[in-house]
Amino acid sequence: MNDVSIENEFDRWLEVMDGNEDREALNALASNPQLLKDAFARDLHFGTGGLRAKIGMGPNRLNVWTVGKATQGLANWLNSQVDEPLVVIARDSRHGGPEFVRRAAEVLAANGIRSVVFGHPSPTPVLSFAVRDLGCSAGIVVTASHNPAEYNGFKVYGPDGCQATTEMCRQIQAAIDSVDIFDDVCAEPFDAAIESGLTAWASGDVLGRYLSSTLSCSQGIDCSDLSVAYTPLNGAGLVCVQRVLGNMGMGAFHVVAEQAEPNGDFPTCPKPNPEVPQTMEAVIDLASRERCDLALATDPDADRVGVVVRHGGEYITLSGNQVGVLLLDWLARRAASREGLDRKVAVTTIVSTPMADDVANGYGLELRRTLTGFKFTGEQIGLLEQDGRRGDFLFGLEESLGYLSGTHVRDKDGIEACMLVCEMAADLKADGLDLVDAMARLYDRYGWWSGKQLTRAFEGVDGAERMAALMDRFRAGAPTEIANLTVDHVIDYKAGAPMPIVNSLPDEPVQTLPPSNVLEWRLSNGSRVLVRPSGTEPKLKVYLFAKGLTKESADNLLDALWNSMNALLDC
């Protein structure tokens, strides 16, 4: 919008909010032109499976009005696609969650769509499970995942339990675009929707079935000698993690008291992302006091888990790539000793560690690489299911702390991952090893990989345009060398590209990845660099993977890649 359009839209919001408590928040915006411009410069747009934004007033913020508009668009689309749709709705602990859930249910009800609502903060993997368990047409989860406290989000799931596909998002966005935020949104009062039966509370049976399905993925390892410190980071994970690990007979289980209860302020972890070192400090302190073998943290919606290991008296944080590779190796080894790996399939993403290829080759295991986003892993499970091969799915991993071994959930699952990590650690402990020892063995076998993510923020109204210009520049002239290594191969995923597959079966059809704004540069020694704009935040992500014969050589090369890419971004 230009300045005149912004002013007109702001005046319209003021008029609608006359006598409404939200008018005060709008008046506060009027005193800050930059914030006002950012809040009204554009409408929210579906990114990776839905909306994510700061909470506040305006069409570019998450509030009951933008949630209402998004739900109306979803309702219009569902009613055009499905007879008698059913939607399940959940939330985590974030501010605005209860109001946004009620608003979504009210809009669905006014459009004749039944909904089932979780009454308490619930993990995202439970929502993914519930979509298929209840036979729903779609799912909604109100969460901003691991973003800071000022954010919330509105994620949509398809009937397969996966986050909305690229095409589904496109269609829903088109439906949303045709909705006027005030004139076209219908809503039935929540209590009336409950009374009429259009809205119902989710029963505890759904959670019980999810927990039973999760425990069915257990490897049956004795965990009675393992001690664990855990934090849900004031999110939704505690109840599920307690019940799952409790059923495993854990030797000792300690919870960070100040981070146990759901709290949208995240008072002791303002960035509730297990990938952030400061976020893990409280659980590491607890683990140190109790001399625990592991320190685990799930993010607010409990689809990710961070892992810290006691090793030689110190607590060592493992990266998402390291945990993923460890689980891949452990599960592959166990499957090979039981039923074999003949047609087993693992799935990862193009921006996850290349070391997964090495492990897959070591076992002769098929490994498929999808685009970023666990919905694409869920999609691969669905394809196996269509071919009568659901039991062939072994494991899915992504670098951002996302893992899955079962097929009952079609998204990453921090609850199940906690269970698997504990079992793997207990299995290793019985042999006198820990996860750090196991990782060192893998490096000795396959070579040393070091990885790091470089990010550049692009805040402000023109942030997206500046990111797009940078990607255009890289496409117009890819570097010929990075850190003195030749760029041997460039893969541009913008127009789609063949899916990278290790050990593909002879009878498998070639899969093409959907178009995505990603560039990959493969270097002469096997190292890789990938660049993409984030789908959920205003920043550019650069994934660096350096391979060496030793840890020192890999780390030194990683530093050189980091410096080279920083220089390229600054040009």
Side-chain angles (χ1 to χ4, degrees):
M1 294 185 187
N2 57 36
D3 290 346
V4 173
S5 298
I6 289 173
E7 184 177 345
N8 290 339
E9 185 67 8
F10 178 71
D11 288 342
R12 184 177 179 230
W13 278 63
L14 274 177
E15 183 179 350
V16 170
M17 304 303 159
D18 190 26
N20 188 303
E21 62 184 14
D22 291 329
R23 187 180 176 95
E24 184 177 340
L26 280 172
N27 287 329
L29 274 179
S31 63
N32 190 322
Q34 188 58 40
L35 286 180
L36 174 63
K37 186 174 183 179
D38 189 41
F40 279 82
R42 63 177 66 85
D43 291 339
L44 289 180
H45 190 83
F46 259 53
T48 307
L51 309 174
R52 190 177 303 188
K54 291 180 179 179
I55 302 167
M57 297 303 293
N60 193 31
R61 296 288 186 265
L62 212 71
N63 49 66
V64 294
W65 309 100
T66 53
V67 166
K69 177 178 178 178
T71 309
Q72 184 66 56
L74 174 63
N76 292 346
W77 180 78
L78 282 171
N79 279 329
S80 73
Q81 302 287 317
V82 184
D83 293 330
E84 299 183 2
L86 174 64
V87 179
V88 60
I89 310 173
R91 65 177 175 89
D92 64 11
S93 60
R94 289 180 178 273
H95 290 308
E99 294 81 6
F100 298 159
V101 165
R102 288 174 69 94
R103 182 64 167 172
E106 290 171 348
V107 172
L108 292 173
N111 286 273
I113 297 176
R114 293 183 301 126
S115 65
V116 177
V117 177
F118 282 91
H120 302 284
S122 301
T124 287
V126 175
L127 182 283
S128 173
F129 171 84
V131 170
R132 296 171 66 247
D133 180 68
L134 297 174
C136 294
S137 316
I140 297 170
V141 60
V142 175
T143 177
S145 188
H146 55 289
N147 281 52
E150 61 267 27
Y151 284 82
N152 210 330
F154 179 93
K155 290 200 294 190
V156 175
Y157 284 69
D160 57 358
C162 298
Q163 285 189 46
T165 63
T166 304
E167 177 58 21
M168 184 176 171
C169 284
R170 186 192 67 77
Q171 293 180 20
I172 294 171
Q173 182 64 61
I176 293 171
D177 289 342
S178 68
V179 172
D180 182 89
I181 195 167
F182 298 125
D183 296 339
D184 297 337
V185 178
C186 306
E188 179 174 334
F190 187 80
D191 291 342
I194 290 283
E195 187 174 343
S196 70
L198 279 167
T199 301
W201 296 109
S203 75
D205 294 344
V206 179
L207 180 61
R209 289 192 293 271
Y210 162 79
L211 293 170
S212 295
S213 297
T214 300
L215 286 165
S216 72
C217 299
S218 166
Q219 297 290 305
I221 304 297
D222 179 7
C223 293
S224 60
D225 192 37
L226 193 74
S227 57
V228 175
Y230 167 72
T231 175
L233 298 178
N234 296 120
L238 179 61
V239 171
C240 289
V241 171
Q242 274 184 322
R243 289 177 64 176
V244 167
L245 298 192
N247 271 280
M248 293 165 57
M250 195 67 54
F253 181 70
H254 306 276
V255 179
V256 178
E258 63 271 27
Q259 296 175 348
E261 296 301 317
N263 186 337
D265 289 325
F266 308 113
T268 58
C269 51
K271 294 183 178 180
N273 180 356
E275 292 179 287
V276 176
Q278 294 87 340
T279 300
M280 301 296 289
E281 288 176 354
V283 73
I284 293 173
D285 287 346
L286 176 60
S288 180
R289 291 196 303 272
E290 301 293 343
R291 295 189 57 79
C292 294
D293 299 298
L294 295 175
L296 305 176
T298 51
D299 65 342
D301 67 326
D303 62 350
R304 305 167 189 243
V305 61
V307 179
V308 180
V309 185
R310 184 166 60 123
H311 174 75
E314 295 182 74
Y315 283 89
I316 309 297
T317 300
L318 299 179
S319 70
N321 281 318
Q322 289 174 323
V323 174
V325 165
L326 283 166
L327 284 169
L328 176 63
D329 173 75
W330 184 67
L331 291 169
R333 181 160 23 94
R334 292 185 62 80
S337 67
R338 293 195 308 264
E339 69 270 28
L341 294 169
D342 215 9
R343 294 176 65 83
K344 294 289 187 185
V345 175
V347 183
T348 189
T349 70
I350 58 175
V351 299
S352 296
T353 176
M355 191 175 183
D357 293 3
D358 298 334
V359 174
N361 276 319
Y363 286 98
L365 171 69
E366 181 176 346
L367 177 73
R368 302 177 183 179
R369 286 190 178 269
T370 69
L371 296 181
T372 307
F374 229 84
K375 62 185 176 185
F376 296 112
T377 296
E379 184 179 56
Q380 292 301 309
I381 297 173
L383 291 174
L384 290 171
E385 195 170 48
Q386 289 174 22
D387 292 339
R389 298 180 56 197
R390 185 172 64 175
D392 286 339
F393 175 71
L394 179 71
F395 186 57
L397 64 142
E398 68 176 13
E399 49 81 33
S400 56
L401 311 184
Y403 320 103
L404 179 70
S405 73
T407 60
H408 57 291
V409 169
R410 301 297 165 92
D411 203 346
K412 52 188 175 287
D413 188 344
I415 311 300
E416 185 196 63
C418 282
M419 178 184 75
L420 293 175
V421 168
C422 287
E423 288 195 303
M424 178 171 61
D427 194 27
L428 288 166
K429 188 176 182 180
D431 291 332
L433 301 171
D434 59 40
L435 299 183
V436 175
D437 298 323
M439 196 70 229
R441 288 187 172 191
L442 290 180
Y443 284 138
D444 287 340
R445 186 183 311 162
Y446 297 115
W448 288 77
W449 282 95
S450 290
K452 189 183 293 187
Q453 188 181 126
L454 170 64
T455 61
R456 284 289 181 92
F458 287 80
E459 300 281 0
V461 175
D462 64 342
E465 293 178 4
R466 289 185 286 123
M467 267 199 294
L470 186 57
M471 293 297 291
D472 288 344
R473 175 162 66 84
F474 284 148
R475 285 193 168 90
T480 56
E481 67 173 34
I482 303 174
N484 296 320
L485 293 173
T486 303
V487 177
D488 281 348
H489 188 45
V490 177
I491 305 175
D492 188 348
Y493 294 92
K494 190 172 184 179
M499 175 184 287
I501 300 181
V502 174
N503 298 318
S504 176
L505 294 175
D507 57 343
E508 278 186 1
V510 175
Q511 294 190 55
T512 300
L513 296 177
S516 184
N517 191 12
V518 183
L519 284 168
E520 179 176 348
W521 300 321
R522 296 194 176 186
L523 309 183
S524 52
N525 77 332
S527 299
R528 298 181 192 178
V529 175
L530 294 99
V531 185
R532 75 174 184 94
S534 170
T536 56
E537 300 170 89
K539 64 184 181 184
L540 190 76
K541 294 185 175 183
V542 182
Y543 302 83
L544 307 172
F545 298 107
K547 188 170 188 178
L549 295 176
T550 64
K551 181 180 187 305
E552 182 181 16
S553 63
D555 287 347
N556 287 341
L557 176 55
L558 183 64
D559 289 341
L561 291 175
W562 178 275
N563 293 333
S564 291
M565 284 308 302
N566 261 316
L568 280 173
L569 293 174
D570 289 336
C571 287

